[in-house]
Amino acid sequence: MRLAVLGGGGFRVPLVYGALLRDSAKPRVEEVVLYDVSPERLEAISHVLRGLAAGHDDPPRVRTTTDLDTALRDAAFVFSAVRVGGLAGRTADERVALDLGLVGQETTGPGGIAFGLRTVPVAVRVAERVAALAPRAWVINFTNPAGMITEAMRRVLGDRVIGICDSPIGLIRRAAAALGLDPARVAPDYVGLNHLGWLRGLSYEGRDVLPRLLADDVALRQVEEARLLGADWVRALGALPNEYLYYYYFAREVVAASSGRTRGEALLEQQDRFYAAVAARPGDALAEWRRARRERDATYMAEARGATDARERDAADLEAGGYEGIALALMAAIARGEPATMILNVRNGAAVPGLPEEAVVEIPCAVDGSGVRPLATRPLPGSFLGLAQQVKAVEQTVIEAALTGSSRLAVAAFALHPLVDSVTTARRLLDGYRARIPELAAVLPD
């Protein structure tokens, strides 16, 4: 079985390959084809993968290419993890918003809109090439903003593209562990959009144990999301929000805490050091990658935790894994027909009342050899549903703006977002992003 990884020179690709090395069940991935626009990054990551494969019997073969069609041809699965504009684009996503006094985050708010505007056309072109060259392939989308990009790719690929994110499963693991329960034995009532969802219930042996967690001060402090947003607030909500909802519920605090380097600026510096170090000392590639990964993981959402008493990330969270485990579990469920229930980004249909049928939502799904089936959810309360409806309307406006090249729609997307407070500011955002990000200016030239 052949796996194509788009964005194959990306820093997190070794996590995927490491998971493949641990997977011995049949059918297994025998060949990994890494695609990237940067041959230098492909070379660096190839050195890391060779280090990971050392000592393993019959590891998956690795090929690299800078030609998309070559990567896609005959692939059974495609992992799409591209970053249009690179980390330089991310720094602009964050900095332009911050300079206007708004939340500067790569997937949430103005930064997520800018990211989507330049990424949607590329993602749709990728989907068209998959449809032409590997029409039976399953595409697992890592590319952010994951819900928006998955929805855009669905226009070409339909149900054969599925979006994933590790935030919901991380929240569920932490909630279960805080109660001393095995995460594999709980059933979550989780619903929302990518980076905008709520854990409203947690069933264990037929009983909802989430109220017990919300009432227990000691247990609740073991859950990073509760430390981040505060016990009083999560109790007021009656749910545990996805960590990214911090940017909505505490927007002023986020902006006030963002006076120094942005996350993107820090990662750009860190990854430049990593790729330069590997180019200079290829034999140290694996050690350099592991060092940089520890630093990267420990500083995740540091700007939000620094404004609260959330403290550093727990070691258990860092060791539990993320995207790579979800992607491999999804691939195994489909390829091997092993039934599983997973939280995925899929077409809504009638699963979430109040959201459009064609909208991509993030909800529990049943997965087996026939594909993915979204499971029905309880209706969202008005305060949750209203926010989800508004953000989904923004996402759909971004898709239309990007595919039609409409600056008018792009301004509307910025202005309609709940983290943007003015149409005039929306226009200034678009001007600022066009001035700093060539890839976005190419999509919206005027």
Side-chain angles (χ1 to χ4, degrees):
M1 191 162 63
R2 177 175 296 165
L3 168 65
V5 180
L6 312 185
F11 184 80
R12 291 191 295 184
V13 168
L15 296 173
V16 173
Y17 191 70
L20 291 173
L21 289 171
R22 297 187 294 272
D23 183 28
S24 59
K26 301 289 185 179
R28 63 188 290 265
V29 172
E30 297 171 335
E31 183 178 51
V32 180
V33 184
L34 305 181
Y35 162 79
D36 205 287
V37 297
S38 168
E40 294 80 13
R41 288 167 67 91
L42 282 173
E43 179 68 14
I45 293 302
S46 294
H47 286 302
V48 178
L49 301 194
R50 280 193 285 273
L52 287 172
H56 285 266
D57 295 331
D58 192 26
R61 299 184 303 275
V62 176
R63 288 194 294 120
T64 65
T65 181
T66 56
D67 180 73
L68 178 62
D69 286 5
T70 297
L72 294 176
R73 194 168 284 110
D74 299 324
F77 286 86
V78 178
F79 289 178
S80 181
V82 301
R83 182 178 285 279
V84 179
L87 281 175
R90 175 175 178 169
T91 65
D93 292 337
E94 296 165 345
R95 183 56 62 188
V96 169
L98 282 170
D99 287 348
L100 291 171
L102 304 174
V103 169
Q105 209 280 327
E106 67 159 337
T107 63
T108 303
I113 293 173
F115 198 2
L117 284 169
R118 66 181 182 274
T119 304
V120 162
V122 173
V124 170
R125 285 197 294 273
V126 166
E128 290 168 349
R129 298 315 297 155
V130 172
L133 297 168
R136 296 185 60 81
W138 291 90
V139 176
I140 300 178
N141 179 53
F142 297 60
T143 299
N144 277 321
M148 183 195 303
I149 300 306
T150 302
E151 188 164 331
M153 296 181 80
R154 277 192 52 85
R155 295 184 175 206
V156 178
L157 297 172
D159 292 340
R160 296 193 83 85
V161 58
I162 305 155
I164 65 170
C165 182
D166 60 353
S167 289
I169 189 60
L171 170 58
I172 293 158
R173 284 178 189 147
R174 289 185 282 273
L179 291 168
L181 303 176
D182 179 357
R185 297 184 61 191
V186 299
D189 175 7
Y190 183 93
V191 62
L193 311 178
N194 179 240
H195 288 185
L196 196 152
W198 298 265
L199 180 64
R200 304 180 300 169
L202 194 66
S203 294
Y204 178 74
E205 295 183 346
R207 297 180 58 188
D208 184 4
V209 295
L210 186 63
R212 175 156 62 91
L213 173 59
L214 293 177
D216 187 331
D217 287 337
V218 175
L220 203 54
R221 281 198 59 79
Q222 297 178 47
V223 181
E224 181 168 338
E225 288 79 359
R227 296 197 303 269
L228 189 64
L229 287 95
D232 287 346
W233 181 237
V234 300
R235 286 173 179 143
L237 293 172
L240 283 172
N242 183 295
E243 59 199 344
Y244 283 85
L245 275 158
Y246 181 81
Y247 297 107
Y248 292 89
Y249 293 140
F250 293 90
R252 289 178 182 266
E253 290 79 0
V254 169
V255 174
S258 302
S259 58
R261 287 190 309 171
T262 67
R263 170 76 168 167
E265 288 163 351
L267 288 181
L268 179 59
E269 179 182 314
Q270 178 199 94
Q271 292 199 19
D272 282 349
R273 288 199 309 269
F274 162 72
Y275 287 103
V278 174
R281 300 181 303 278
D284 295 337
L286 181 56
E288 286 289 342
W289 178 81
R290 284 173 170 161
R291 178 199 57 74
R293 182 197 169 195
R294 286 193 297 270
E295 181 182 342
R296 177 189 177 111
D297 285 349
T299 57
Y300 176 68
M301 287 191 76
E303 78 286 358
R305 292 198 311 277
T308 68
D309 65 348
R311 69 177 187 261
E312 293 184 359
R313 296 184 71 192
D314 292 335
D317 281 348
L318 298 178
E319 295 166 1
Y323 284 88
E324 71 282 0
I326 299 168
L328 268 292
L330 175 57
M331 185 168 64
I334 294 173
R336 299 170 190 156
E338 300 171 357
T341 300
M342 307 178 68
I343 295 174
L344 302 168
N345 285 267
V346 296
R347 180 180 182 274
N348 178 37
V352 183
L355 290 175
E357 290 185 7
E358 74 280 4
V360 164
V361 295
E362 191 168 80
I363 55 173
C365 300
V367 189
D368 58 24
S370 64
V372 176
R373 177 172 58 86
L375 301 177
T377 65
R378 292 186 293 119
L380 283 166
S383 59
F384 295 178
L385 179 60
L387 181 57
Q389 287 174 326
Q390 188 170 0
V391 172
K392 177 50 66 177
V394 169
E395 291 183 351
Q396 294 184 329
T397 303
V398 171
I399 293 171
E400 292 304 322
L403 294 180
T404 62
S406 171
S407 294
R408 178 181 59 82
L409 286 176
V411 169
F414 284 117
L416 291 170
H417 198 282
L419 292 177
V420 178
D421 54 5
S422 157
V423 175
T424 300
T425 300
R427 294 182 178 127
R428 294 174 66 190
L429 282 165
L430 180 57
D431 289 343
Y433 286 126
R434 275 198 292 222
R436 288 197 51 173
I437 305 174
E439 294 83 0
L440 192 150
V443 174
L444 301 166
D446 53 40

